[in-house]
Amino acid sequence: TLLSLAANGSLSTATTLQQQVVRMLKDIRARRFSSIMTSEWLGVDNIRNMGLTTIGSGTLNSMVSESRLLFDDIVVNDQSFLRSISADYAYLDKTMADFYGVPFNGAVSTSFYKTDMSLTSRRGLLGQAAFLVSTSGSQSETHPVQRGKIIAQSLGCYEIAPPPAGVDTSLMSSTFPANATPAEKLAIHRQNVSCASCHNVLDPYGLAMETFDSRGLSRTTYATISRTIDSSGALPTGEKFANTEEFTRTLVASPQIRSCLVRKVMALGLARKVASIDDTCRSNELSTQHMTETAKFSDLIYNIVISRQFKMQSTEAQ
């Protein structure tokens, strides 16, 4: 179809281009987007290769399916891409419903059904077990710096430098008080000026998700030290939040996050990094217009397709 439209010259018109974007997104092959995003953007499907012994293989498979089905929902139902962060629903089979402790919303235990999650603190991909397990750092405890780094890079497009040579990055050091929380330990760690610049970015993202343990289950306290978890904080850009759920709402409203999400989708279409000044200007423009809670995914894709970056492919920013 595209070759025929290109041959008769109509593919270059805005109306035809938009029609073809909508047509192609309705094709079953558009579901490949979901696979790419779960594997390349967040890498959540890697949980099946982590050698985990605390979670069965069937549950791990269900976790990955939950994440892919959220992307499918965005594409098939033409939802805003922000739903990947803000969705107060999930597609769960009985395995995942039981895992989360929510009612199973279906008749066939192995099928996935849209399930209301608004009464929980889970929102979008960050609240899904696949993401939480893949970023936990170990099978027994969470590592908020690791989670924070992945969120900062994947959702905020921050470039994070490796830690300086010779700096102790462990939070298990005997120099910390015995019953200190990870937040308190990291506050001490940030007193080292060579660490502060990166940790001021990483820590808020990771600590905001400490209400989920290494298996992705909800918690309110650190069992080993009997301390209540404080998930409040502020983004590197200054926006404050009081808890994990409010953290998600803050991410959705952040211009930094919205622009980064556009850049992630653009990079797939361009098959290269979105890094030049012109790229950044275009992604910022698209984030204002088409990365809103009411925007359609097809409009975002269409506006990427008609961009100079897509129509006049080059090797810039590779």
Side-chain angles (χ1 to χ4, degrees):
T1 299
L2 290 176
L3 290 173
S4 297
L5 292 172
N8 65 30
S10 61
L11 188 60
S12 60
T13 67
T15 299
T16 302
L17 271 175
Q18 191 161 28
Q19 289 173 343
Q20 292 309 303
V21 166
V22 172
R23 177 185 68 83
M24 294 176 71
L25 287 175
K26 290 181 178 179
D27 191 290
I28 189 66
R29 287 170 291 182
R31 305 287 181 88
R32 181 172 176 266
F33 175 81
S34 304
S35 177
I36 292 173
M37 295 308 285
T38 52
S39 62
E40 296 183 17
W41 181 35
L42 296 176
V44 298
D45 59 352
N46 187 51
I47 61 175
R48 291 177 294 201
N49 304 313
M50 291 173 60
L52 299 173
T53 59
T54 57
I55 306 174
S57 59
T59 301
L60 292 173
N61 287 333
S62 291
M63 289 178 179
V64 174
S65 294
E66 178 193 0
S67 294
R68 287 184 177 174
L69 287 169
L70 179 58
F71 281 119
D72 281 351
D73 178 73
I74 291 171
V75 175
V76 172
N77 295 312
D78 209 3
Q79 304 270 9
S80 168
F81 192 67
L82 280 177
R83 291 277 185 169
S84 62
I85 300 177
S86 66
D88 60 357
Y89 59 87
Y91 288 86
L92 308 178
D93 60 0
K94 192 174 188 308
T95 295
M96 290 311 301
D98 291 346
F99 189 82
Y100 291 149
V102 299
F104 178 54
N105 189 34
V108 181
S109 63
T110 55
S111 296
F112 289 76
Y113 299 87
K114 189 172 184 178
T115 304
D116 180 18
M117 303 293 281
S118 62
L119 297 181
T120 75
S121 60
R122 298 183 188 275
R123 295 292 181 272
L125 288 161
L126 298 189
Q128 293 183 347
F131 173 80
L132 295 165
V133 170
S134 69
T135 60
S136 62
S138 78
Q139 297 192 60
S140 58
E141 61 181 320
T142 57
H143 290 258
V145 175
Q146 176 166 308
R147 271 188 186 163
K149 181 179 181 180
I150 292 173
I151 296 174
Q153 291 177 324
S154 300
L155 273 67
C157 290
Y158 285 100
E159 297 290 339
I160 308 297
V167 173
D168 183 6
T169 60
S170 171
L171 295 183
M172 304 304 292
S173 171
S174 59
T175 59
F176 296 123
N179 68 335
T181 66
E184 291 168 344
K185 292 179 180 180
L186 287 170
I188 296 172
H189 192 64
R190 289 194 300 273
Q191 292 175 6
N192 184 332
V193 294
S194 64
C195 303
S197 59
C198 285
H199 278 274
N200 285 337
V201 174
L202 302 177
D203 296 353
Y205 290 115
L207 292 171
M209 302 302 295
E210 280 290 88
T211 49
F212 298 104
D213 67 16
S214 61
R215 299 180 68 226
L217 296 174
S218 297
R219 63 182 179 180
T220 58
T221 62
Y222 292 107
T224 56
I225 57 175
S226 300
R227 295 286 302 278
T228 299
I229 295 172
D230 179 9
S231 58
S232 64
L235 299 186
T237 44
E239 302 95 326
K240 296 181 179 180
F241 51 88
N243 51 47
T244 302
E245 186 177 347
E246 193 170 301
F247 166 68
T248 305
R249 292 198 297 268
T250 304
L251 290 180
V252 170
S254 168
Q256 170 88 13
I257 301 300
R258 292 187 178 197
S259 179
C260 180
L261 293 180
V262 170
R263 291 170 66 181
K264 295 298 182 180
V265 179
M266 279 185 69
L268 289 178
L270 304 181
R272 65 169 175 79
K273 291 183 178 180
V274 177
S276 71
I277 294 176
D278 190 33
D279 287 345
T280 302
C281 289
R282 183 59 175 160
S283 66
N284 289 340
E285 179 184 359
L286 291 180
S287 69
T288 300
Q289 299 172 352
H290 304 290
M291 189 58 72
T292 66
E293 294 186 77
T294 57
K296 293 182 177 181
F297 183 67
S298 61
D299 287 340
L300 173 61
I301 299 301
Y302 167 70
N303 280 277
I304 291 173
V305 167
I306 64 173
S307 69
R308 182 196 66 79
Q309 285 82 352
F310 187 88
K311 294 174 71 175
M312 302 175 68
Q313 282 281 9
S314 70
T315 58
E316 69 177 291
Q318 283 192 345

